[in-house]
């Protein structure tokens, strides 16, 4: 999902999503699945709000049904996650959109403040959702993969939560981002720089060049 030019009125986008205009919005984008670590992010949100960050709001942009999570399992997991949101006391502060068209997802990302990908196996730049956050200029939090992705450098291209499945570590990493505007600006710029050469247009052009070389006369001869 590449970035569009963004909506002229981010406040209107938030109103359309049912998100408070004055909220500090954390976005998760992608198919929702147990391995994406949302349970930990929801609990981290609850802890941060309880400690005084009462403007925080979580926006979950993505559907539940996928090849990895068939319809019946997806419905069960959505119900489980909704129950967990209620149990954590943040039902009024979490918005789950379900599947949205690409243009609406892009508008929503432009209207958020930061992104978080607390994957239970850690995040890498193989994640299209992560690259979409970069393309939208969002300061982004990830959990560390093992081995770590060399392009995801804490404090430069992302903020890294160094352990997976750890709410306290997520809280600490999110608090770093929330409290430090210069850190947010630095990692947003670093993440955006990683997108160089990775737009769909550039990828298509590279594929075109490869196909042109291998299909030209004599390309396969000794």
């Amino acid at each position: 999902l590449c970035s569009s030019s963004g909506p002229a009125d981010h406040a209107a986008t938030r109103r359309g999503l049912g998100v408070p205009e004055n909220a500090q919005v954390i976005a998760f984008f992608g198919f929702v699945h147990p391995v994406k670590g949302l349970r930990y992010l929801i609990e981290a949100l609850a802890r941060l709000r309880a400690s005084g960050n009462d403007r925080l709001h979580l926006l979950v942009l993505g559907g539940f049904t996928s090849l990895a999570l068939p319809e019946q399992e997806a419905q069960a997991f959505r119900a489980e996650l909704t129950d967990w949101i209620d149990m954590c006391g943040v039902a009024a502060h979490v918005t789950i959109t379900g599947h949205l068209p690409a243009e609406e997802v892009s508008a929503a990302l432009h209207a958020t403040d930061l992104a978080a990908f607390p994957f239970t196996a850690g995040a890498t730049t193989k994640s299209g959702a992560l690259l979409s956050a970069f393309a939208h200029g969002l300061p982004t939090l990830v959990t560390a993969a093992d081995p770590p992705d060399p392009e995801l450098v804490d404090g430069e291209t992302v903020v890294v939560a160094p352990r997976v499945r750890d709410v306290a570590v997520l809280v600490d990493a999110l608090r770093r981002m929330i409290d430090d505007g210069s850190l947010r600006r630095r990692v947003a710029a670093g993440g955006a720089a990683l997108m160089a050469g990775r737009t769909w247009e550039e990828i298509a052009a590279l594929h075109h060049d490869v196909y042109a070389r291998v299909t030209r006369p004599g390309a396969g001869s000794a």
Side-chain angles (χ1 to χ4, degrees), residues 43-152:
E43 186 174 346
L45 173 78
R47 292 191 190 183
L48 284 163
R49 287 188 58 85
S51 67
N53 296 99
D54 57 4
R55 291 175 53 233
L56 287 179
H57 192 97
L58 175 60
L59 179 62
V60 179
L61 295 161
F64 284 72
T65 303
S66 66
L67 291 176
L69 203 64
E71 181 69 29
Q72 188 172 355
E73 294 176 38
Q75 290 178 1
F77 181 58
R78 179 161 188 159
E80 177 187 325
L81 205 61
T82 300
D83 288 345
W84 182 242
I85 290 167
D86 291 339
M87 188 177 300
C88 290
V90 289
H93 313 295
V94 179
T95 299
I96 299 175
T97 67
H99 176 76
L100 293 175
E103 296 81 3
E104 294 181 29
V105 172
S106 184
L109 289 174
H110 277 297
T112 62
D113 298 294
L114 54 98
F117 298 93
F119 299 164
T120 60
T124 72
T125 49
K126 293 179 181 179
S127 167
L130 174 61
L131 296 181
S132 294
F134 290 161
H136 285 78
L138 287 172
T140 300
L141 176 147
V142 300
T143 42
D146 184 17
D149 187 311
E151 293 187 299
L152 301 181

Side-chain angles (χ1 to χ4, degrees), residues 4-13 103 106-111:
S4 68
S5 59
D9 187 349
H10 292 177
T13 300
E103 296 81 3
S106 184
L109 289 174
H110 277 297

Side-chain angles (χ1 to χ4, degrees), residues 111-195:
T112 62
D113 298 294
L114 54 98
F117 298 93
F119 299 164
T120 60
T124 72
T125 49
K126 293 179 181 179
S127 167
L130 174 61
L131 296 181
S132 294
F134 290 161
H136 285 78
L138 287 172
T140 300
L141 176 147
V142 300
T143 42
D146 184 17
D149 187 311
E151 293 187 299
L152 301 181
V153 180
D154 184 56
E156 295 184 19
T157 55
V158 290
V159 168
V160 177
R163 289 194 299 277
V164 299
R165 300 185 179 91
D166 190 318
V167 176
V169 166
L170 273 181
V171 168
D172 289 344
L174 285 166
R175 188 175 284 123
R176 283 176 61 202
M177 298 181 77
I178 292 163
D179 293 344
D180 191 339
S182 63
L183 173 63
R184 293 195 302 273
R185 290 187 292 274
R186 185 166 64 250
V187 298
L194 287 181
M195 288 300 295

Side-chain angles (χ1 to χ4, degrees), residues 212-221:
R213 287 198 301 271
V214 300
T215 58
R216 68 174 181 263
S221 59

